[in-house]
PDB file of all heavy atoms in Angstrom:
ATOM      1  N   PRO A1479     -28.150 -33.485  -5.817  1.00  0.00           N
ATOM      2  CA  PRO A1479     -27.082 -32.485  -5.758  1.00  0.00           C
ATOM      3  C   PRO A1479     -27.279 -31.427  -6.829  1.00  0.00           C
ATOM      4  O   PRO A1479     -27.629 -31.738  -7.960  1.00  0.00           O
ATOM      5  CB  PRO A1479     -25.811 -33.322  -6.015  1.00  0.00           C
ATOM      6  CG  PRO A1479     -26.182 -34.691  -5.550  1.00  0.00           C
ATOM      7  CD  PRO A1479     -27.630 -34.848  -5.883  1.00  0.00           C
ATOM      8  N   PRO A1480     -27.086 -30.143  -6.493  1.00  0.00           N
ATOM      9  CA  PRO A1480     -27.419 -29.049  -7.404  1.00  0.00           C
ATOM     10  C   PRO A1480     -26.564 -29.000  -8.657  1.00  0.00           C
ATOM     11  O   PRO A1480     -26.902 -28.305  -9.594  1.00  0.00           O
ATOM     12  CB  PRO A1480     -27.201 -27.801  -6.552  1.00  0.00           C
ATOM     13  CG  PRO A1480     -26.234 -28.222  -5.503  1.00  0.00           C
ATOM     14  CD  PRO A1480     -26.580 -29.654  -5.211  1.00  0.00           C
ATOM     15  N   LEU A1481     -25.450 -29.728  -8.685  1.00  0.00           N
ATOM     16  CA  LEU A1481     -24.590 -29.686  -9.862  1.00  0.00           C
ATOM     17  C   LEU A1481     -25.009 -30.704 -10.920  1.00  0.00           C
ATOM     18  O   LEU A1481     -24.468 -30.719 -12.010  1.00  0.00           O
ATOM     19  CB  LEU A1481     -23.134 -29.956  -9.460  1.00  0.00           C
ATOM     20  CG  LEU A1481     -22.552 -28.962  -8.466  1.00  0.00           C
ATOM     21  CD1 LEU A1481     -21.115 -29.307  -8.164  1.00  0.00           C
ATOM     22  CD2 LEU A1481     -22.644 -27.559  -9.006  1.00  0.00           C
ATOM     23  N   LEU A1482     -25.946 -31.577 -10.576  1.00  0.00           N
ATOM     24  CA  LEU A1482     -26.346 -32.603 -11.519  1.00  0.00           C
ATOM     25  C   LEU A1482     -27.296 -32.056 -12.566  1.00  0.00           C
ATOM     26  O   LEU A1482     -28.166 -31.244 -12.290  1.00  0.00           O
ATOM     27  CB  LEU A1482     -27.033 -33.758 -10.787  1.00  0.00           C
ATOM     28  CG  LEU A1482     -26.161 -34.561  -9.816  1.00  0.00           C
ATOM     29  CD1 LEU A1482     -26.992 -35.640  -9.163  1.00  0.00           C
ATOM     30  CD2 LEU A1482     -24.973 -35.165 -10.536  1.00  0.00           C
ATOM     31  N   LEU A1483     -27.134 -32.523 -13.779  1.00  0.00           N
ATOM     32  CA  LEU A1483     -28.103 -32.221 -14.814  1.00  0.00           C
ATOM     33  C   LEU A1483     -29.281 -33.174 -14.679  1.00  0.00           C
ATOM     34  O   LEU A1483     -29.123 -34.311 -14.224  1.00  0.00           O
ATOM     35  CB  LEU A1483     -27.477 -32.420 -16.199  1.00  0.00           C
ATOM     36  CG  LEU A1483     -26.297 -31.532 -16.573  1.00  0.00           C
ATOM     37  CD1 LEU A1483     -25.746 -31.965 -17.926  1.00  0.00           C
ATOM     38  CD2 LEU A1483     -26.695 -30.081 -16.622  1.00  0.00           C
ATOM     39  N   SER A1484     -30.462 -32.731 -15.082  1.00  0.00           N
ATOM     40  CA  SER A1484     -31.591 -33.646 -15.132  1.00  0.00           C
ATOM     41  C   SER A1484     -31.340 -34.666 -16.239  1.00  0.00           C
ATOM     42  O   SER A1484     -30.489 -34.472 -17.114  1.00  0.00           O
ATOM     43  CB  SER A1484     -32.881 -32.878 -15.428  1.00  0.00           C
ATOM     44  OG  SER A1484     -32.851 -32.387 -16.752  1.00  0.00           O
ATOM     45  N   THR A1485     -32.071 -35.763 -16.205  1.00  0.00           N
ATOM     46  CA  THR A1485     -31.912 -36.787 -17.238  1.00  0.00           C
ATOM     47  C   THR A1485     -32.142 -36.198 -18.618  1.00  0.00           C
ATOM     48  O   THR A1485     -31.410 -36.490 -19.568  1.00  0.00           O
ATOM     49  CB  THR A1485     -32.897 -37.936 -16.979  1.00  0.00           C
ATOM     50  OG1 THR A1485     -32.659 -38.476 -15.679  1.00  0.00           O
ATOM     51  CG2 THR A1485     -32.727 -39.037 -18.021  1.00  0.00           C
ATOM     52  N   GLN A1486     -33.152 -35.327 -18.756  1.00  0.00           N
ATOM     53  CA  GLN A1486     -33.445 -34.707 -20.046  1.00  0.00           C
ATOM     54  C   GLN A1486     -32.303 -33.799 -20.482  1.00  0.00           C
ATOM     55  O   GLN A1486     -31.866 -33.813 -21.635  1.00  0.00           O
ATOM     56  CB  GLN A1486     -34.746 -33.917 -19.973  1.00  0.00           C
ATOM     57  CG  GLN A1486     -35.103 -33.234 -21.308  1.00  0.00           C
ATOM     58  CD  GLN A1486     -36.409 -32.458 -21.219  1.00  0.00           C
ATOM     59  OE1 GLN A1486     -37.133 -32.570 -20.239  1.00  0.00           O
ATOM     60  NE2 GLN A1486     -36.709 -31.683 -22.244  1.00  0.00           N
ATOM     61  N   GLU A1487     -31.786 -32.979 -19.525  1.00  0.00           N
ATOM     62  CA  GLU A1487     -30.677 -32.086 -19.849  1.00  0.00           C
ATOM     63  C   GLU A1487     -29.449 -32.873 -20.285  1.00  0.00           C
ATOM     64  O   GLU A1487     -28.733 -32.482 -21.210  1.00  0.00           O
ATOM     65  CB  GLU A1487     -30.343 -31.212 -18.645  1.00  0.00           C
ATOM     66  CG  GLU A1487     -31.367 -30.133 -18.350  1.00  0.00           C
ATOM     67  CD  GLU A1487     -31.062 -29.411 -17.060  1.00  0.00           C
ATOM     68  OE1 GLU A1487     -30.526 -30.050 -16.131  1.00  0.00           O
ATOM     69  OE2 GLU A1487     -31.369 -28.226 -16.972  1.00  0.00           O
ATOM     70  N   LYS A1488     -29.182 -33.992 -19.598  1.00  0.00           N
ATOM     71  CA  LYS A1488     -28.028 -34.816 -19.951  1.00  0.00           C
ATOM     72  C   LYS A1488     -28.190 -35.384 -21.351  1.00  0.00           C
ATOM     73  O   LYS A1488     -27.243 -35.388 -22.150  1.00  0.00           O
ATOM     74  CB  LYS A1488     -27.879 -35.961 -18.928  1.00  0.00           C
ATOM     75  CG  LYS A1488     -26.654 -36.841 -19.169  1.00  0.00           C
ATOM     76  CD  LYS A1488     -25.383 -36.051 -18.917  1.00  0.00           C
ATOM     77  CE  LYS A1488     -24.158 -36.958 -18.915  1.00  0.00           C
ATOM     78  NZ  LYS A1488     -23.933 -37.616 -20.217  1.00  0.00           N
ATOM     79  N   ALA A1489     -29.391 -35.851 -21.687  1.00  0.00           N
ATOM     80  CA  ALA A1489     -29.640 -36.395 -23.016  1.00  0.00           C
ATOM     81  C   ALA A1489     -29.471 -35.319 -24.084  1.00  0.00           C
ATOM     82  O   ALA A1489     -28.884 -35.554 -25.144  1.00  0.00           O
ATOM     83  CB  ALA A1489     -31.043 -36.996 -23.071  1.00  0.00           C
ATOM     84  N   GLU A1490     -29.976 -34.102 -23.794  1.00  0.00           N
ATOM     85  CA  GLU A1490     -29.848 -32.996 -24.736  1.00  0.00           C
ATOM     86  C   GLU A1490     -28.390 -32.622 -24.939  1.00  0.00           C
ATOM     87  O   GLU A1490     -27.940 -32.355 -26.056  1.00  0.00           O
ATOM     88  CB  GLU A1490     -30.630 -31.786 -24.224  1.00  0.00           C
ATOM     89  CG  GLU A1490     -32.141 -31.966 -24.286  1.00  0.00           C
ATOM     90  CD  GLU A1490     -32.875 -30.810 -23.619  1.00  0.00           C
ATOM     91  OE1 GLU A1490     -32.186 -29.935 -23.044  1.00  0.00           O
ATOM     92  OE2 GLU A1490     -34.118 -30.787 -23.668  1.00  0.00           O
ATOM     93  N   GLU A1491     -27.625 -32.613 -23.837  1.00  0.00           N
ATOM     94  CA  GLU A1491     -26.212 -32.266 -23.939  1.00  0.00           C
ATOM     95  C   GLU A1491     -25.448 -33.296 -24.754  1.00  0.00           C
ATOM     96  O   GLU A1491     -24.651 -32.956 -25.621  1.00  0.00           O
ATOM     97  CB  GLU A1491     -25.595 -32.162 -22.544  1.00  0.00           C
ATOM     98  CG  GLU A1491     -24.129 -31.774 -22.603  1.00  0.00           C
ATOM     99  CD  GLU A1491     -23.413 -32.029 -21.299  1.00  0.00           C
ATOM    100  OE1 GLU A1491     -23.135 -33.197 -21.002  1.00  0.00           O
ATOM    101  OE2 GLU A1491     -23.153 -31.060 -20.591  1.00  0.00           O
ATOM    102  N   ASP A1492     -25.701 -34.577 -24.479  1.00  0.00           N
ATOM    103  CA  ASP A1492     -25.014 -35.631 -25.218  1.00  0.00           C
ATOM    104  C   ASP A1492     -25.360 -35.567 -26.704  1.00  0.00           C
ATOM    105  O   ASP A1492     -24.498 -35.776 -27.564  1.00  0.00           O
ATOM    106  CB  ASP A1492     -25.392 -36.996 -24.647  1.00  0.00           C
ATOM    107  CG  ASP A1492     -24.794 -37.230 -23.266  1.00  0.00           C
ATOM    108  OD1 ASP A1492     -23.861 -36.484 -22.892  1.00  0.00           O
ATOM    109  OD2 ASP A1492     -25.264 -38.141 -22.555  1.00  0.00           O
ATOM    110  N   ALA A1493     -26.630 -35.265 -27.020  1.00  0.00           N
ATOM    111  CA  ALA A1493     -27.047 -35.159 -28.412  1.00  0.00           C
ATOM    112  C   ALA A1493     -26.356 -33.993 -29.098  1.00  0.00           C
ATOM    113  O   ALA A1493     -25.895 -34.091 -30.240  1.00  0.00           O
ATOM    114  CB  ALA A1493     -28.562 -35.011 -28.502  1.00  0.00           C
ATOM    115  N   ALA A1494     -26.257 -32.858 -28.375  1.00  0.00           N
ATOM    116  CA  ALA A1494     -25.595 -31.677 -28.931  1.00  0.00           C
ATOM    117  C   ALA A1494     -24.116 -31.941 -29.167  1.00  0.00           C
ATOM    118  O   ALA A1494     -23.547 -31.526 -30.175  1.00  0.00           O
ATOM    119  CB  ALA A1494     -25.782 -30.485 -28.000  1.00  0.00           C
ATOM    120  N   THR A1495     -23.502 -32.643 -28.226  1.00  0.00           N
ATOM    121  CA  THR A1495     -22.078 -32.967 -28.370  1.00  0.00           C
ATOM    122  C   THR A1495     -21.849 -33.855 -29.577  1.00  0.00           C
ATOM    123  O   THR A1495     -20.920 -33.647 -30.365  1.00  0.00           O
ATOM    124  CB  THR A1495     -21.554 -33.656 -27.102  1.00  0.00           C
ATOM    125  OG1 THR A1495     -21.742 -32.783 -25.998  1.00  0.00           O
ATOM    126  CG2 THR A1495     -20.079 -33.986 -27.233  1.00  0.00           C
ATOM    127  N   ALA A1496     -22.711 -34.862 -29.747  1.00  0.00           N
ATOM    128  CA  ALA A1496     -22.582 -35.779 -30.881  1.00  0.00           C
ATOM    129  C   ALA A1496     -22.817 -35.060 -32.202  1.00  0.00           C
ATOM    130  O   ALA A1496     -22.208 -35.383 -33.226  1.00  0.00           O
ATOM    131  CB  ALA A1496     -23.575 -36.929 -30.726  1.00  0.00           C
ATOM    132  N   ALA A1497     -23.682 -34.037 -32.164  1.00  0.00           N
ATOM    133  CA  ALA A1497     -24.028 -33.330 -33.393  1.00  0.00           C
ATOM    134  C   ALA A1497     -22.983 -32.310 -33.818  1.00  0.00           C
ATOM    135  O   ALA A1497     -22.931 -31.914 -34.964  1.00  0.00           O
ATOM    136  CB  ALA A1497     -25.373 -32.629 -33.228  1.00  0.00           C
ATOM    137  N   GLY A1498     -22.162 -31.872 -32.897  1.00  0.00           N
ATOM    138  CA  GLY A1498     -21.188 -30.873 -33.320  1.00  0.00           C
ATOM    139  C   GLY A1498     -20.402 -30.245 -32.200  1.00  0.00           C
ATOM    140  O   GLY A1498     -19.752 -29.221 -32.398  1.00  0.00           O
ATOM    141  N   GLY A1499     -20.461 -30.824 -31.023  1.00  0.00           N
ATOM    142  CA  GLY A1499     -19.615 -30.350 -29.941  1.00  0.00           C
ATOM    143  C   GLY A1499     -20.038 -29.030 -29.363  1.00  0.00           C
ATOM    144  O   GLY A1499     -19.222 -28.131 -29.146  1.00  0.00           O
ATOM    145  N   ALA A1500     -21.332 -28.854 -29.110  1.00  0.00           N
ATOM    146  CA  ALA A1500     -21.791 -27.624 -28.455  1.00  0.00           C
ATOM    147  C   ALA A1500     -21.153 -27.510 -27.084  1.00  0.00           C
ATOM    148  O   ALA A1500     -20.857 -28.511 -26.430  1.00  0.00           O
ATOM    149  CB  ALA A1500     -23.314 -27.647 -28.329  1.00  0.00           C
ATOM    150  N   LYS A1501     -20.947 -26.277 -26.610  1.00  0.00           N
ATOM    151  CA  LYS A1501     -20.325 -26.068 -25.310  1.00  0.00           C
ATOM    152  C   LYS A1501     -21.177 -26.646 -24.198  1.00  0.00           C
ATOM    153  O   LYS A1501     -22.403 -26.618 -24.248  1.00  0.00           O
ATOM    154  CB  LYS A1501     -20.113 -24.574 -25.051  1.00  0.00           C
ATOM    155  CG  LYS A1501     -19.001 -23.966 -25.874  1.00  0.00           C
ATOM    156  CD  LYS A1501     -18.771 -22.527 -25.453  1.00  0.00           C
ATOM    157  CE  LYS A1501     -17.613 -21.922 -26.218  1.00  0.00           C
ATOM    158  NZ  LYS A1501     -17.363 -20.519 -25.812  1.00  0.00           N
ATOM    159  N   ASP A1502     -20.537 -27.198 -23.197  1.00  0.00           N
ATOM    160  CA  ASP A1502     -21.262 -27.695 -22.032  1.00  0.00           C
ATOM    161  C   ASP A1502     -21.966 -26.547 -21.350  1.00  0.00           C
ATOM    162  O   ASP A1502     -21.414 -25.460 -21.191  1.00  0.00           O
ATOM    163  CB  ASP A1502     -20.292 -28.340 -21.022  1.00  0.00           C
ATOM    164  CG  ASP A1502     -19.723 -29.630 -21.549  1.00  0.00           C
ATOM    165  OD1 ASP A1502     -20.491 -30.398 -22.129  1.00  0.00           O
ATOM    166  OD2 ASP A1502     -18.515 -29.837 -21.377  1.00  0.00           O
TER     167      ASP A1502
END
Side-chain angles (χ1 to χ4, degrees):
L1481 300 181
L1482 295 179
L1483 297 175
S1484 69
T1485 302
Q1486 180 180 350
E1487 288 173 327
K1488 183 67 170 63
E1490 289 173 355
E1491 181 196 75
D1492 290 344
T1495 301
K1501 287 186 177 181
D1502 291 318

